[in-house]
Amino acid sequence: MIETPYLLFLGDAPDQLAAKVAQGIRDWRPDNAIGQIRLPGCGADVKLPDLTLAEAREKGAKTLVVGVANRGGIISASWKKVLIEALEMGYDIASGLHNLLRDEGDLVAAAQTHGGTLHDVRVPSVGYPIASGVKRSGKRLLAVGTDCSVGKMYTTLALDEAMRKRGKKSTFRATGQTGILITGSGVPLDAVIADFMAGSIEYLTPDNDDDHWDMIEGQGSLYHVSYSGVTLALIHGGQPDALVICHEPSRPHMRGLPGYKMPTLEMVRDMALPLARVANPKCEVIGVSINTQHMSEDEALSYLEGVEKRMGLPAVDPFRQGADRLAEALEAY
Amino acid sequence: MIETPYLLFLGDAPDQLAAKVAQGIRDWRPDNAIGQIRLPGCGADVKLPDLTLAEAREKGAKTLVVGVANRGGIISASWKKVLIEALEMGYDIASGLHNLLRDEGDLVAAAQTHGGTLHDVRVPSVGYPIASGVKRSGKRLLAVGTDCSVGKMYTTLALDEAMRKRGKKSTFRATGQTGILITGSGVPLDAVIADFMAGSIEYLTPDNDDDHWDMIEGQGSLYHVSYSGVTLALIHGGQPDALVICHEPSRPHMRGLPGYKMPTLEMVRDMALPLARVANPKCEVIGVSINTQHMSEDEALSYLEGVEKRMGLPAVDPFRQGADRLAEALEAY
């Protein structure tokens, strides 16, 4: 658990995209962040007050979150200066960078001297169990995708928000580093050891109230040969009652796999559902979430209408339209 | 790569089953082992000459292989004495125990002093890549199962032997610690980090001659919710041309999962084949391997005949009958 509130470190992010972790926190958990801190030349802005480390600390900030991707894979000297100063002031630091905080001797030393914690959310901090397969109480929804990076995290965050606005019990369950930084906890599934993958998802989504929904962030795709094992561990560890299929229609081929065609929504449904029913015979596909960012409004609406007719399921772009219609489908479940 | 020949350490194995790693080496790679060494009270015997460490060393033994499971999960004082003496004589040590050799200070010290290597085959020693999905030359067969521990390793070892006896090019590819100890190399897939599972199998089964078969040891089952992700990584990383379905008919339920029924052979075929064809559209199921150890000879033969008729595929128990008919099916492929 990462302590809130955060101060968001945007560093020298060249553009807005490089600060997508900070933007995610700003969009989905605005109450978690009280400000941003930027270095000279920063081209990103998540529209929070620019605060110094001291000002934010005074306002109660507990953790400096690295909300930016680093170029070249190293933590630069200019970043280091800020991170060490933050530790000296009593901050914890949280990061999802490949270059781990704990591998930097000067950060480790400063953290030890000043009693701060270094959260490398890319690395599991828990010894997960092997999955037992025992049926848990409460309800679970999992986002499955035609491919990687088609909007699974966005969809489950939007559904979680829509459910809570309707007064329903819901918790977003993060399975990747961005989601973990946004909500302060979760399982970095891609870094879990093979035998414990499904068990880590059981651990993440324990017994709950009968009317509570876990909105489980999906990873990879059953059709993405590099990561499909991770996807299946989510399906079997999560034992979902409901699936939402996520898709981005403009992809020419699977991400990073030029020789692999994208599957259709029907193919994902027909593969995921029998697999999901091994762990939960009642599982149903309740809707489709389409990332229409590369379409005009008219194109998008007409595409969604077509999908809805073809699949007989509500089809929405949660970014354009919100996830209310998916939440309705869940209530009807 | 573990150096051969081996001396097999059976310790104080209470019975033959506890020495199944040693027995596997004896059965499948007899040329790799020149003797066995047993402690007082040992109830196992793999029918190799009983040699002292010094005698075996004189005959050329390079590695002392721990061919026995340890009770209570610790390496006992009586084992330690032998292992340290072996290191002092210049042996390497190889082990698949959960209790790692490298976690024992006195073994590490003795290995360093005498220049020996400690092989913990349960832990990856390679930084595997992320799977690229690129089609590789050569042919690959993968054993998939209805459940864990139904005979997948045995089947692929037997097929490898049958193919080589027929003068065909074949290599058994180990994916678990017993297989790795038997052949001296492989990938301990259950200990690989999630993102690299499929990549580790690509690494294990690289480009090869067009008429060469990799016989890939299977793990888990698509229907075993604790380990199914590992199975799918094998299917997509291995991009098999051929599948053999393995089954043990006497199981009341999935291993370790009392609430989960065993799938039928047809269910495994219908789930595995479309998934395999994502990575290799030409993949076919070429046969069925049944572990009939709990049946009489008559029962077994009649069961196999029934399966053969039902599935339209050769069905054998490779332990009773050898794997020749599966090899024939592969040649016809």
Side-chain angles (χ1 to χ4, degrees), chain A residues 5-242:
Chain A
Y6 302 156
L7 174 63
L8 304 182
F9 178 67
L10 272 57
D12 45 6
D15 52 33
Q16 199 65 16
L17 192 63
K20 73 172 186 170
V21 169
Q23 190 62 50
I25 295 168
R26 176 71 170 101
D27 289 343
W28 296 107
R29 293 294 183 272
D31 294 350
N32 279 358
I34 58 174
Q36 63 186 7
I37 180 165
R38 303 189 285 172
L39 295 177
C42 182
D45 180 358
V46 300
K47 304 279 157 59
L48 281 170
D50 282 291
L51 300 176
T52 66
L53 288 171
E55 287 165 353
R57 190 79 184 134
E58 199 145 309
K59 288 176 191 289
K62 296 276 201 299
T63 304
L64 182 70
V65 171
V66 179
V68 52
N70 57 336
R71 284 175 290 184
I74 59 152
I75 299 176
S76 68
S78 63
W79 287 24
K80 272 279 181 72
K81 196 166 159 284
V82 179
L83 302 185
I84 289 175
E85 201 183 327
L87 289 165
E88 287 168 354
M89 286 187 188
Y91 281 90
D92 292 341
I93 302 182
S95 154
L97 300 175
H98 271 291
N99 181 179
L100 302 183
L101 302 173
R102 73 183 65 172
D103 287 343
E104 300 297 313
D106 42 5
L107 295 181
V108 171
Q112 281 175 356
T113 307
H114 301 283
T117 301
L118 302 177
H119 297 280
D120 284 303
V121 303
R122 203 174 271 274
V123 181
S125 54
V126 171
Y128 301 114
I130 285 177
S132 73
V134 173
K135 176 78 185 143
R136 306 190 291 290
S137 56
K139 299 217 174 326
R140 284 158 201 87
L141 173 140
L142 173 67
V144 293
T146 50
D147 194 3
C148 301
S149 311
V150 292
K152 294 185 286 286
M153 184 184 79
Y154 195 99
T155 301
T156 36
L157 279 164
L159 241 169
D160 173 54
E161 189 172 89
M163 288 291 275
R164 286 188 287 111
K165 277 197 181 149
R166 300 163 88 90
K168 304 293 173 187
K169 297 180 196 165
S170 169
T171 309
F172 170 75
R173 300 296 190 182
T175 61
Q177 57 267 10
T178 304
I180 295 171
L181 286 172
I182 289 174
T183 58
S185 66
V187 166
L189 184 57
D190 60 8
V192 172
I193 286 174
D195 253 4
F196 304 100
M197 291 186 300
S200 75
I201 303 304
E202 292 190 346
Y203 171 95
L204 179 69
T205 60
D207 279 322
N208 215 317
D209 297 343
D210 286 340
D211 58 348
H212 176 277
W213 282 90
D214 277 327
M215 301 297 175
I216 309 174
E217 181 190 359
Q219 296 292 338
S221 165
L222 290 171
Y223 286 86
H224 196 296
V225 295
S226 312
Y227 308 115
S228 53
V230 178
T231 308
L232 186 50
L234 270 162
I235 292 174
H236 282 166
Q239 49 184 230
D241 303 276

Side-chain angles (χ1 to χ4, degrees), chain B residues 98-146:
Chain B
H98 272 290
N99 181 179
L100 301 183
L101 302 172
R102 72 183 66 171
D103 288 343
E104 300 298 312
D106 42 5
L107 295 181
V108 172
Q112 280 174 357
T113 306
H114 301 282
T117 301
L118 302 177
H119 296 280
D120 285 303
V121 303
R122 201 173 273 274
V123 182
S125 56
V126 171
Y128 301 113
I130 285 178
S132 73
V134 174
K135 176 75 184 146
R136 305 190 291 292
S137 55
K139 299 217 172 328
R140 285 158 200 87
L141 173 141
L142 173 67
V144 293
T146 51

Side-chain angles (χ1 to χ4, degrees), chain A residues 131 133 190 192 194-195 226 228 236 260, chain B residues 131 133 192 194-195 222 226 228 236 260:
Chain A
D190 60 8
V192 172
D195 253 4
S226 312
S228 53
H236 282 166
Y260 288 80
Chain B
V192 172
D195 253 4
L222 290 171
S226 311
S228 53
H236 282 166
Y260 289 78

